[in-house]
Amino acid sequence: MSEKKALVLVVEDEPKLAQVLIDYLTANDYATHWISDGRDVAKYYSEHAKADQPDLVLLDLMLPGRDGLDVCKDLRRISQVPIIMITARVEEIDRLIGLEIGADDYICKPFSPREVMARVKAILRRIPHGDQGIKTTGLTHFPQLQLDEARFEARYHDQLLELTPAEFRLLKTLADAPGRVFQRDQLINHVYDDQRIITDRTIDSHIKNLRKKMAIVAPEDVIRSIYGVGYKLEL
């Protein structure tokens, strides 16, 4: 039996641009579904609750009906699917807002479709789908924190953390060397391995989100900030 293709949901209101993305995704052996209105994303998820869930979402920021930031927030309430935001806004604050609400990556217009494919492949390489979920390697275990890289699951005090792929990779990096201080540029290299330009503030945003999610389970702050250097995990 052939392995099921990874499904990429393309949320883009420009038909020509959407078709270019779909053509490149199809040529790279991905299945696709196109949505042009932000209001239709939640409807798609409700109608495909048990089947045909996307493995990744390409999400345009400027959409009719409901903009990309609101759509991203909606998705994060029901799913941890990887999200790559596509935006014509190049200001750093827009990029950070996208990341802080749960997006895993962003790419700015105009872009090369090949660059988009590289980002898609980089994320999906790290995310098991289909039969790949039976792998059991990549385990990190502490009394209060367990990470399973094969299943992309993080448990804190026996409670499942709903982490984005970027947040999971960041926590895994810190947990694989507890007590070690990681500089921000070192964490950037672990979270984003395709040599893109990422600012220190992006890592700070991910750390902020991680702390919030872990604090819901337990009030202790195990991610320590080392002033002027970076972060470490103390368990």
Side-chain angles (χ1 to χ4, degrees):
M1 183 181 295
S2 60
E3 182 180 336
K4 183 180 178 181
K5 294 181 180 181
L7 173 62
V8 178
L9 180 63
V10 178
V11 187
E12 169 60 61
D13 66 316
E14 297 181 39
K16 290 183 179 179
L17 180 54
Q19 190 60 55
V20 169
L21 292 172
I22 289 169
D23 289 344
Y24 269 80
L25 288 162
T26 302
N28 282 273
D29 207 29
Y30 294 112
T32 63
H33 183 81
W34 174 39
I35 293 175
S36 60
D37 191 308
R39 292 168 294 191
D40 293 335
V41 177
K43 179 181 177 182
Y44 173 86
Y45 263 79
S46 65
E47 292 177 348
H48 299 79
K50 296 182 179 179
D52 296 327
Q53 289 287 303
D55 296 282
L56 184 143
V57 178
L58 288 174
L59 177 60
D60 189 26
L61 181 63
M62 302 300 292
L63 292 167
R66 193 161 178 80
D67 70 27
L69 291 180
D70 286 335
V71 172
C72 186
K73 291 177 184 177
D74 293 342
L75 287 177
R76 280 294 168 256
R77 294 188 185 102
I78 59 175
S79 173
Q80 294 304 310
V81 62
I83 298 172
I84 299 177
M85 299 200 73
I86 299 175
T87 175
R89 300 179 184 176
V90 297
E91 296 85 353
E92 183 184 38
I93 187 61
D94 285 318
R95 301 176 186 181
L96 289 174
I97 288 173
L99 293 171
E100 286 180 352
I101 64 172
D104 299 280
D105 200 357
Y106 62 84
I107 190 165
C108 295
K109 298 177 181 177
F111 54 77
S112 162
R114 292 182 180 179
E115 181 183 2
V116 178
M117 292 307 102
R119 302 283 184 91
V120 169
K121 290 178 180 178
I123 289 180
L124 290 180
R125 274 199 305 266
R126 308 183 188 110
I127 311 293
H129 66 277
D131 293 337
Q132 294 178 4
I134 63 174
K135 296 180 182 178
T136 57
T137 58
L139 300 175
T140 302
H141 190 280
F142 298 95
Q144 68 269 55
L145 178 66
Q146 298 85 44
L147 302 175
D148 186 338
E149 192 170 22
R151 293 184 172 86
F152 229 71
E153 287 185 356
R155 292 187 176 274
Y156 188 48
H157 291 279
D158 294 324
Q159 293 192 39
L160 186 65
L161 296 175
E162 297 292 342
L163 304 182
T164 68
E167 291 164 1
F168 181 92
R169 291 192 298 273
L170 180 55
L171 183 57
K172 183 75 164 58
T173 298
L174 294 170
D176 281 346
R180 173 184 170 182
V181 178
F182 285 88
Q183 298 178 5
R184 287 176 175 83
D185 59 349
Q186 292 174 316
L187 293 173
I188 288 171
N189 291 335
H190 279 86
V191 175
Y192 300 99
D193 59 4
D194 53 2
Q195 308 301 312
R196 79 192 66 179
I197 298 175
I198 298 290
T199 69
D200 291 350
R201 290 179 62 192
T202 300
I203 290 297
D204 293 340
S205 294
H206 288 318
I207 291 289
K208 178 181 177 182
N209 289 338
L210 262 178
R211 283 173 164 159
K212 284 182 179 179
K213 293 178 180 182
M214 296 176 78
I216 293 173
V217 177
E220 58 186 336
D221 185 6
V222 295
I223 301 177
R224 307 294 186 190
S225 301
I226 309 301
Y227 183 75
V229 182
Y231 299 97
K232 68 177 179 177
L233 189 69
E234 291 185 348
L235 294 169

